[in-house]
Amino acid sequence: MCGIFAYLNHLTPKTRLEILDLLIKGLKRLEYRGYDSAGVGIDGASGTSEISLVKSTGKVKLLEDRIHALKDDLNFDGVHTVHVGIAHTRWATHGAPSDVNCHPHRSGDKNEF
């Protein structure tokens, strides 16, 4: 099983912390489904097309702790009017649970799909 929660915001100023908190709350609502790892993907810290991924094995709380440990890299206080984010839980059916194997994944180094 897996759970996916996404957020798209257009022309409403929000901090990156607000967006990340919203994504984490979405994952917490899906915890009953069972999973062994979780991750989030959000638009780049400077508002560029670069995607920031944060992933962790275990419960959503561990992912939340990892996100807060990266607050400077993720620019929590940055305010943007356009945000895109996805949060994903995963139950390992192919490959052992690991930070590398957590979802979401990139399609490549250039984030091309």
Side-chain angles (χ1 to χ4, degrees):
M1 286 298 267
C2 71
I4 300 171
F5 183 86
Y7 180 79
L8 172 64
N9 174 29
H10 184 67
L11 299 181
T12 304
K14 299 246 185 224
T15 66
R16 292 177 58 78
L17 178 58
E18 289 175 297
I19 300 304
L20 287 162
D21 283 345
L22 193 140
L23 291 170
I24 290 297
K25 286 178 186 174
L27 285 184
K28 286 181 177 180
R29 293 186 68 174
L30 298 171
E31 283 186 302
Y32 73 93
R33 298 174 59 116
Y35 62 94
D36 56 34
S37 56
V40 295
I42 58 172
D43 49 349
S46 63
T48 64
S49 61
E50 181 181 323
I51 297 171
S52 297
L53 293 179
V54 183
K55 307 190 255 183
S56 178
T57 57
K59 298 290 183 190
V60 172
K61 177 65 174 140
L62 294 174
L63 173 64
E64 186 176 20
D65 292 344
R66 183 168 285 179
I67 287 169
H68 284 278
L70 296 170
K71 68 180 180 179
D72 292 335
D73 293 338
L74 295 173
N75 187 18
F76 274 9
D77 296 327
V79 177
H80 301 281
T81 57
V82 177
H83 295 277
V84 176
I86 186 169
H88 199 300
T89 60
R90 172 184 185 259
W91 187 260
T93 55
H94 293 54
S98 70
D99 288 348
V100 172
N101 214 4
C102 295
H103 288 207
H105 290 294
R106 298 176 195 265
S107 60
D109 293 338
K110 296 180 182 178
N111 299 318
E112 296 172 341
F113 292 95

